[in-house]
Structures are given as structure tokens and as C-alpha cells.
Amino acid sequence: MTPADPSASAQPPATASFVVVANRLPVDRVEHPDGSVDWRTSPGGLVTAFEPVMRRHDGAWVGWHGAPDEEVAPFENDGLQLVPVPLSASEVEEYYEGFSNTTLWPLYHDVIAAPEFHREWWDAYVVVNQRFADATAAVAEQGAVVWVQDYQLQLVPAMLRRQRPDLRIGFFLHIPFPPTELYQQLPWRNQILEGLLGADLVGFQVSGGAQNFLRLVRARLRQETHRDEIRAADGRTVVARSYPISIDTAGLAELAAAPATAERAAEIRRDLGDPKVLFLGVDRLDYTKGLLARLRAFGELIDDGALELDEVAFVQVATPSRERVDEYRQLRDDMDRLVGRINGDIGRIGRPPITYLHSSYPREEMAALYRAADVMVVTPLRDGMNLVAKEYVACRQADDGALVLSEFAGAAKELRQAYLVNPYDINGMKDRLVEAMDDSPRNKARRMRVMRRQVAEHDIDHWATTFLDDLAQAQPTAD
Ligand code: GDG
């Protein structure tokens, strides 16, 4: 933890041989009543994944610190060297809420919502990407390995290479890379492809994303590809491959197995009136996650008499997200209305069919929820991976429980034994929910065992190590 005033703990930026570049630093700013400020590590998969590598290599993390219009000098937190990149309030609006979350996010998720294209948002995206590239160039030592994360920073690899051809640059996209027909809508489609090609290794969640990218590079930039390799304009070889992200499986399993978690899980069920079957959804409140259709399907099942109101409960955690973006405000209203209608129409005193929680919870509470739930319902319309599906599996050490999973989540490629659904098909989803609920304990155990092995063997450490090993083998720059 840094002392109260972060600028007081500022240190001259040391150079690092391993640099992670992400939109956000892995810390949250905490303001105390006396006006002092410090930083709390925000728990998350990426910190867990990079921490061991960062510690081995004196790593640095470059990212925005979360406070607009504020410059913060580089500082150390929990032994990690953090390099804040400042953003003005209007850049947060145009680069982050605008181009990242209102143009790219919907475009890359099958245009579930209509992407908006604004030239001034693009301009801000270019300016901010350049700032990230400059900050990274300043902190990376000669020959360092740099790993750039996600859709907010797709121009950084090429910008960085222009300044620092000595670096080994990796890029990983956490969200889907869209089919070529959709991608081509983007007015700045070539610039982004060129931006990504600045990397030596471009990683995607699933092989379909890598294939879409390779196809576009051939069609739009007329560059030659051979299998997963691209011959870039400057003669370098760029590799595009899939690296399915994962979770800290062992850490979460340990938390789930703790007696306090078991007790809390039992308490949750009691508080819900001891339902025979507890359904659970855990998502950021995002239109890609398929929340409305899922709850509608559940409500209809009770309405139809396929589920007994007295025997079932659905807990939906929807973590607040991107609340300043219009589509998200709209979704929040739609959810309030739908949950209100279902509970109002078919609920009884002490028996609301849906418990809707619009807030975020500590890790311990999430683990207890995963342990408490009989049927986990993960039905995104499109999702890069979906870690919630893997987290549920990791928590089911008794090999009980059932995972209902959308075919359109990256996780479906690995968790083949889930009860797979097309989230656009409400009747199909209803059938699968009932099937998942009614399946024999033997079948459930057989499915869960295979999935548990998958997430145990392919955890977050495996993800980071595989990517970085491949990056280490990337051929050095041609000249
Ligand atoms: C993007 C891609 C890809 C949620 N509510 C709480 C909470 N969470 C945690 C979950 C999970 C994470 O947040 C959400 O991860 P997802 O993968 O489900 O989805 P996105 O946020 O959309 O993530 C996605 C991911 O990046 C990684 O590459 O899988 O496809 O869209 O870990 O548990 N955690 C806590 N309290 C909450 O209330 N503690």
C-alpha cells in the first residue's frame, strides 16, 4: 500500500524487462474522509495472471489510474511498479465511453447494439493510444517483452514498434474478433489491422477470432499468410493464434472449499426459502450477456407450470457497468421493468421468483453463490470467453450442479459437457434449463468431472505461460 499521498511515494520510473499495458491499472483509488488518497489492488484475473511474471522480471504495468484530469507519477503498490497514463474527462468520454465502448464493443459483439461511428471519437482513440505507446516506450528496457491488452489499445503495437523496434510485442484481445463482413463496417478498419500487426504475436480467445483476423489481413492489406503466420509489410513474421483465457482455478477452488464458504452457501439457500432448485446468473450488466431472454425463459417456465414457484428461485447478480453509456442505461431500465413484471405477475408473499441484485460483491460471496447454485445460467449473445462459467465449474468439487452455457461464449469451445444453448432460441433455452435441472446426478457428475479437469489443467497461469513462451520464440525483427 502506498502512503497517503501517492505523489509523495512517487519514484523515478525504473525501466522494466516485462511490461503489461492495459486500459486500467490493477488498482482502485481510495479517498479517505480526511482527503488523503491511496490505492487498493483491484482483484481480478489479470493481476493474478501477471503477478508471478511481473515479480520474476521487475515488471511494470502501464494503464489509466481511473481518475480523469489527474496526473499521477509512477508509483509502487504491493511490490508492483505502476505507470499511470493520464486521461482528460473528454478523453474518457471520447476514447473510452465513445470509441471503445460505443463503437468497438458492439461492433466486435455481432452488432447486438448498433455501433456508432464518430470521427472525433476516433481522433481521441489515436491520441490516447499514442500516449500509452509513449509511456510504454519510456519504461521498457532494451529488448523488453511488452504485452498489450485488449480492444482499447489496438493501435499501440504499431505505434510502439515505430519507436522501439528492439521490443518483443504481444497483444491479446479479450473480446471476440468479429466476422469479416461486420468488421468491414469500421471506417478505420485498415488502421486497426495495421496497428495490431505491429505485434509479434496477436492472441485471440478462440481460433475463429484468429481466422477472422487472418482473412481480413489478406483481403484488406493484401498481405500473405501461411497457416497462422503473416508476412508483414516490413518483412517481419506476425503470428495470430488462440489462447483461451482462464481463471485462478486452484485459488478459487480452495476458497469454495472453505468451511466459511459452505456455511454462507447454506445461509443463502435458507434466506431464499430453501428452494429445491436454485438457478444463478452472474454478469456485468451488459447487453451482450443475454440477461433479458434468460429471465424471460425462467419466468415463462413458471408461468407454463413446468417449474413450481414454491420449489425454485433465480438469483441474478448484475454488476453495475458503464453507467454513463446510453445503451447500458436503457438495459438497466429494461431489466428493472422485466424483473418487476415477472415478480409482480407470478410471485407470492415471500416468494419472488427472481432475486435481482444490481451491485458487486466480494470474492467470498461469489464463491458462496457458486456453491449454493444448482443450475448456473450463462447465456451471453456473444462473449469472448466468459470466466463466470469457468468459475462455477471450479467451485463444484462434489461434481454436482449443472452449467447451462451459450454456444456463443468462447468458453463453450472448452466446456463441451455443459448444457449448451442458443440464447436467441427462448423455447430451446427453456428446454435446456429443465433438462439441466432434471438430469440424473450421475450424468451431472460425469459432465462436471470432465469440465473440472479442463479448468484445472488450463488455468490462468497456463494461459499466461503459453502466450509468453510463444512470444519468446517470435523471431526478432528482420533488420
Ligand atoms: C471480458 C470479456 C472475457 C462479476 N461480478 C462480480 C465479480 N465478477 C467477476 C466474475 C468474473 C468477471 O467479473 C467477469 O468476467 P467475464 O469473463 O464473465 O466477463 P467480462 O467482464 O465481459 O470480461 C470476457 C474476459 O474479459 C476475460 O478475458 O472472458 O469474454 O467480455 O471473474 O466473477 N467479481 C466480484 N464481485 C462481483 O460482484 N468479486
Side-chain angles (χ1 to χ4, degrees):
M1 204 52 47
T2 53
D5 175 8
S7 57
S9 71
Q11 298 165 353
T15 55
S17 62
F18 177 64
V19 186
V20 170
V21 192
N23 175 57
R24 276 302 307 272
L25 285 175
V27 286
D28 286 321
R29 195 167 178 282
V30 187
E31 256 178 63
H32 297 290
D34 65 359
S36 63
V37 165
D38 64 14
W39 304 90
R40 197 175 22 217
T41 307
S42 52
L46 284 191
V47 201
T48 319
F50 298 142
E51 218 177 307
V53 201
M54 304 258 291
R55 292 197 197 286
R56 272 200 300 275
H57 297 275
D58 289 329
W61 188 308
V62 176
W64 182 43
H65 47 281
D69 287 326
E70 210 171 283
E71 299 248 358
V72 179
F75 63 99
E76 214 187 276
N77 186 66
D78 272 353
L80 298 182
Q81 196 197 331
L82 303 181
V83 183
V85 177
L87 293 182
S88 70
S90 76
E91 284 167 347
V92 173
E93 248 172 66
E94 297 185 338
Y95 143 80
Y96 180 66
E97 291 161 0
F99 198 76
S100 298
N101 288 333
T102 311
T103 307
L104 293 175
W105 180 268
L107 181 69
Y108 282 31
H109 287 90
D110 285 359
V111 301
I112 296 165
E116 285 182 35
F117 303 112
H118 297 297
R119 285 165 287 183
E120 52 292 5
W121 289 359
W122 164 253
D123 293 342
Y125 187 79
V126 175
V127 168
V128 171
N129 270 247
Q130 187 64 57
R131 192 174 305 142
F132 273 81
D134 294 347
T136 308
V139 79
E141 70 180 42
Q142 184 70 22
V145 170
V146 176
W147 194 355
V148 183
Q149 308 292 320
D150 228 357
Y151 62 104
Q152 303 93 349
L153 301 175
Q154 294 173 97
L155 303 177
V156 170
M159 289 171 164
L160 197 51
R161 181 162 304 280
R162 233 170 277 137
Q163 297 184 55
R164 294 288 306 274
D166 58 294
L167 300 177
R168 216 169 262 268
I169 305 173
F171 179 92
F172 184 76
L173 185 70
H174 290 255
I175 66 175
F177 193 81
T180 55
E181 293 79 1
L182 296 179
Y183 182 83
Q184 312 238 35
Q185 292 181 10
L186 188 66
W188 307 280
R189 52 202 183 180
N190 284 15
Q191 287 96 313
I192 286 191
L193 294 175
E194 281 158 1
L196 292 171
L197 285 178
D200 297 295
L201 175 60
V202 186
F204 299 87
Q205 298 278 25
V206 293
S207 59
Q211 279 154 20
N212 290 344
F213 177 68
L214 287 159
R215 203 169 301 139
L216 276 159
V217 163
R218 275 196 302 273
R220 298 225 52 87
L221 304 182
R222 305 255 160 251
Q223 273 159 15
E224 258 177 59
T225 68
H226 177 63
R227 297 182 183 210
D228 57 7
E229 294 184 350
I230 302 152
R231 168 127 318 229
D234 57 3
R236 288 177 307 118
T237 299
V238 179
V239 175
R241 202 172 280 167
S242 64
Y243 299 86
I245 200 168
S246 193
I247 57 168
D248 172 18
T249 311
L252 186 59
E254 194 187 322
L255 177 59
T261 311
E263 272 165 38
R264 177 64 192 138
E267 189 177 45
I268 289 170
R269 293 191 71 111
R270 263 199 313 278
D271 288 350
L272 290 163
D274 277 322
K276 220 167 94 189
V277 186
L278 174 56
F279 294 82
L280 174 67
V282 171
D283 310 77
R284 266 185 318 98
L285 185 53
D286 193 298
Y287 52 82
T288 59
K289 302 291 184 183
L291 291 149
L292 295 166
R294 164 197 316 173
L295 295 181
R296 202 172 293 135
F298 177 72
E300 283 186 21
L301 283 170
I302 298 179
D303 225 13
D304 300 345
L307 297 183
E308 269 307 316
L309 177 63
D310 290 328
E311 295 182 348
V312 297
F314 200 122
V315 171
Q316 176 64 58
V317 175
T319 317
S321 181
R322 304 178 190 168
E323 293 180 296
R324 284 153 42 119
V325 176
D326 283 345
E327 283 291 338
Y328 290 77
R329 289 203 188 119
Q330 180 64 47
L331 174 64
R332 184 164 180 202
D333 289 349
D334 292 347
M335 280 290 282
D336 287 349
R337 210 169 305 121
L338 180 69
V339 172
R341 211 192 68 217
I342 296 173
N343 283 347
D345 284 354
I346 58 180
R348 280 202 299 272
I349 288 178
R351 274 284 170 194
I354 300 169
T355 301
Y356 172 48
L357 305 164
H358 181 248
S359 42
S360 80
Y361 294 89
R363 226 174 128 247
E364 292 72 19
E365 183 74 354
M366 305 308 287
L369 281 164
Y370 291 140
R371 262 201 80 155
D374 302 298
V375 182
M376 184 78 215
V377 191
V378 183
T379 57
L381 303 173
R382 180 59 70 191
D383 214 332
M385 178 52 58
N386 196 293
L387 297 181
V388 167
K390 293 187 173 182
E391 288 166 358
Y392 178 70
V393 168
C395 290
R396 307 304 302 188
Q397 272 135 321
D399 287 329
D400 55 358
L403 172 66
V404 174
L405 178 61
S406 163
E407 293 165 21
F408 304 135
K413 298 270 178 290
E414 291 171 87
L415 305 178
R416 304 302 304 168
Q417 290 71 25
Y419 300 84
L420 295 175
V421 293
N422 170 2
Y424 290 95
D425 171 10
I426 298 224
N427 283 344
M429 198 144 56
K430 287 165 70 176
D431 291 344
R432 285 309 248 176
L433 286 173
V434 172
E435 187 192 338
M437 177 180 92
D438 286 345
D439 208 356
S440 69
R442 198 155 157 267
N443 277 344
K444 285 184 182 162
R446 187 177 46 78
R447 288 172 180 254
M448 195 54 80
R449 208 171 302 125
V450 180
M451 294 195 288
R452 251 176 10 95
R453 197 174 315 127
Q454 171 68 25
V455 295
E457 285 167 8
H458 300 85
D459 64 359
I460 185 79
D461 190 46
H462 177 265
W463 172 76
T465 313
T466 327
F467 186 98
L468 291 171
D469 284 352
D470 285 0
L471 182 56
Q473 281 171 22
Q475 65 172 43
T477 32
D479 35 311

